[in-house]
Amino acid sequence: MLSDGTDLYEDPALYELEHANYRGDLAFYRLVAAQARPPAILELGCGLGRVAFELAAAGYSVTGLELAPEMLAKCERRRLQLPRDVRQRVQLQLGDARHHRDPPARYGAVIAPFNLLQHQDATGLAELLRAARASLVEEGRFACDLFAPLAVDAELDDADFTGLENRPLSRDGGTLLVDRRECYDRASAVLTTLIRHRRLRADGSLAGSEQRTVCRRQWTHDQLSRALAAAGFVAIDCYGDVDLTPYHPAAPRIMLVARRG
């Protein structure tokens, strides 16, 4: 696992502001879940339950594994607010996806949504994939999605925040200003993103400001394919974006489905 650059996940409220409305990958994971036999799914890095709750509402049994205690605690609070039949289909566990040790051959699908694999170095990726394979039944599915590699080479500069976004804060009528700066290290193939959130009150005054860091290893399609094969998987499908168009070298995302070989 990358040694730093995951402090965004230590602040669930900030993470929720950043990603609460994202639904782009749900069609992909519903497609994968429909292939799961049995209909039991292990989600690696379940975060605040965005994908897990969607699949549980569709009738699947979901185990959500999360490394960050703060994220898991908020996920559990959100689970308790779900309808009874849905929340009973969700189990949450604190743990590391690289060393997960549920009873073997239990799940019909293991999923790693929303760039989870990009938080792993080569050793961590191999460990995660081996653990995922051990959790699957024969012919069980593994699926992941992540950003395709970027050809960037920028300097970190405190004065050079870019990509300003304005988002409404419905809870108090204010505005969340989000801007970021990025640096790509070619030697390690790691993209570091610094995200700054500034909360403005309805009158325009500053209510607070936080800065968080996310580091993501840039994996190519070929690298992921080789890692999956080494872990005992056979690739089935690969899509290039959330609209499920086939993958191509200029695609913005890599959305892979493999089966346990």
Side-chain angles (χ1 to χ4, degrees), residues 39 50 60 94 115 121 152 164 171 216 226 241 249 251:
R50 182 181 61 83
Y60 299 99
L94 181 67
N115 313 315
D121 57 18
V152 298
L164 183 66
R171 65 187 181 202
R216 294 190 296 264
R226 289 195 297 270
D241 208 348

Side-chain angles (χ1 to χ4, degrees), residues 42-46 63-66 97 100 110-113 116 128 132 142:
L42 171 63
E43 181 184 359
L44 308 178
C46 65
T63 298
L65 185 70
E66 175 55 48
H100 184 59
V110 175
I111 62 175
L116 177 72
L128 183 152
F142 174 81

Side-chain angles (χ1 to χ4, degrees), residues 19-256:
H19 301 300
N21 296 322
Y22 181 68
R23 298 182 59 83
D25 56 356
L26 296 181
F28 174 64
Y29 288 109
R30 286 194 296 266
L31 178 67
V32 173
Q35 303 172 26
R37 303 288 187 276
I41 298 163
L42 171 63
E43 181 184 359
L44 308 178
C46 65
L48 299 181
R50 182 181 61 83
V51 178
F53 299 161
E54 177 81 10
L55 296 180
Y60 299 99
S61 173
V62 184
T63 298
L65 185 70
E66 175 55 48
L67 180 62
E70 302 89 349
M71 295 285 281
L72 192 69
K74 182 158 188 173
C75 187
E76 172 61 12
R77 292 194 294 272
R78 295 184 66 185
R79 186 189 72 86
L80 293 175
Q81 296 172 5
L82 297 171
R84 182 178 180 181
D85 63 324
V86 177
R87 68 173 179 262
Q88 288 181 335
R89 287 194 286 269
V90 179
Q91 295 184 356
L92 300 177
Q93 298 180 14
L94 181 67
D96 190 326
R98 299 169 299 173
H99 311 300
H100 184 59
R101 292 295 181 266
D102 252 358
R106 173 179 175 183
Y107 297 100
V110 175
I111 62 175
F114 206 46
N115 313 315
L116 177 72
L117 299 191
Q118 293 189 275
H119 297 311
Q120 305 297 329
D121 57 18
T123 299
L125 178 64
E127 292 173 337
L128 183 152
L129 293 176
R130 286 196 297 267
R133 184 184 184 278
S135 297
L136 286 167
V137 300
E138 288 295 329
E139 302 289 316
R141 299 305 196 250
F142 174 81
C144 62
D145 76 291
L146 59 160
F147 288 118
L150 299 175
V152 298
D153 190 4
E155 295 291 335
L156 285 177
D157 181 353
D158 288 336
D160 187 27
F161 279 90
T162 60
L164 183 66
E165 304 171 36
N166 294 346
R167 304 179 189 173
L169 284 174
S170 56
R171 65 187 181 202
D172 61 7
T175 301
L176 178 70
L177 302 182
V178 182
D179 49 2
R180 62 196 71 217
R181 54 190 171 92
E182 295 184 328
C183 176
Y184 181 58
D185 181 73
R186 293 186 184 277
S188 63
V190 172
L191 179 70
T192 300
T193 304
L194 278 75
I195 306 169
R196 183 172 61 186
H197 297 82
R198 288 174 291 166
R199 295 192 299 274
L200 304 183
R201 301 184 182 92
D203 63 5
S205 61
L206 183 65
S209 178
E210 299 90 11
Q211 183 171 303
R212 294 290 185 267
T213 304
V214 180
C215 292
R216 294 190 296 264
R217 171 67 154 83
Q218 303 296 289
W219 295 107
T220 68
H221 176 272
D222 287 347
Q223 288 170 331
L224 287 174
S225 297
R226 289 195 297 270
L228 284 164
F233 287 100
V234 177
I236 299 175
D237 291 309
C238 189
Y239 305 98
D241 208 348
V242 295
D243 61 0
L244 303 182
T245 54
Y247 174 79
H248 55 88
R253 297 196 68 81
I254 302 172
M255 308 183 79
L256 272 167

